[in-house]
Amino acid sequence: MPAISDEWHYRIKAVTRDLVEACGGVVRAASICGASKTVVSRWQNAREAEVIPVTAAAALEADCGLTLVLAAYADLLGRRIGEPGDVSGATARCVFEQHATTIGAAAKLMATGAAAAVDGALSPSEAELMDRDAGTVEAEIAALRRNLASAKNGRRLAVVGED
């Protein structure tokens, strides 16, 4: 595995933080992967050198159904993790609702970026806020793509039972 640059260090820390949050926080994440809450906190703290091990990431990702950390590790190696081949149950309403949620998350990221750009400088705390919003956008896009994959089954989806 290539050495992890500062950029990758911050990316892995950010997706680890998103994963821990998706699993219900530090205490719950610690119980899921069998680590102490102090260790889990270090995994998501950008000032700490220690990164989440693959086994812990896999346990947490299995719990919440997201592949945030493992996808970042794969990307570091020039690979990507594909979506499961059989995604079923999408309706037009699911797709449209997820699309709206994704656009809302992107709008929040844009607003955070615009607020940070007002003074023409980007502070570490502003970068952190933008990174958190970007993580949310990334997760929402992944959910939208799963719904769209299901919608591609060849049949036209429509919203039914609506007034």
Side-chain angles (χ1 to χ4, degrees):
M1 180 174 204
I4 296 177
S5 67
D6 287 346
E7 175 186 339
W8 278 101
H9 172 82
Y10 289 120
R11 179 163 180 214
I12 290 171
K13 293 294 188 165
V15 294
T16 300
R17 183 191 60 248
D18 295 342
L19 180 60
V20 168
E21 184 178 313
C23 288
V26 173
V27 174
R28 186 165 184 281
S31 70
I32 292 167
C33 65
S36 72
K37 64 182 183 179
T38 304
V39 169
V40 173
S41 290
R42 281 198 306 261
W43 292 340
Q44 63 181 355
N45 184 337
R47 287 179 241 123
E48 297 285 342
E50 186 176 355
V51 294
I52 188 170
V54 171
T55 53
L60 294 175
E61 290 179 352
D63 180 75
C64 71
L66 300 173
T67 55
L68 302 173
V69 174
L70 296 181
Y73 279 133
D75 195 26
L76 175 62
L77 296 169
R79 305 281 191 257
R80 71 178 181 84
I81 296 175
E83 291 299 323
D86 181 28
V87 181
S88 60
T91 64
R93 183 179 186 136
C94 290
V95 171
F96 296 145
E97 285 177 354
Q98 185 58 51
H99 180 261
T101 302
T102 303
I103 295 302
K108 185 172 185 311
L109 171 60
M110 288 186 279
T112 303
V118 167
D119 63 358
L122 183 65
S123 71
S125 61
E126 290 169 329
E128 177 66 22
L129 291 173
M130 288 180 67
D131 189 48
R132 287 177 189 233
D133 289 347
T136 300
V137 171
E138 193 171 50
E140 296 300 342
I141 288 172
L144 176 61
R145 292 189 78 194
R146 283 190 299 275
N147 282 339
L148 290 169
S150 180
K152 291 179 190 179
N153 68 6
R155 95 177 192 256
R156 185 173 179 269
L157 299 178
V159 177
V160 293
E162 297 294 313
D163 293 330

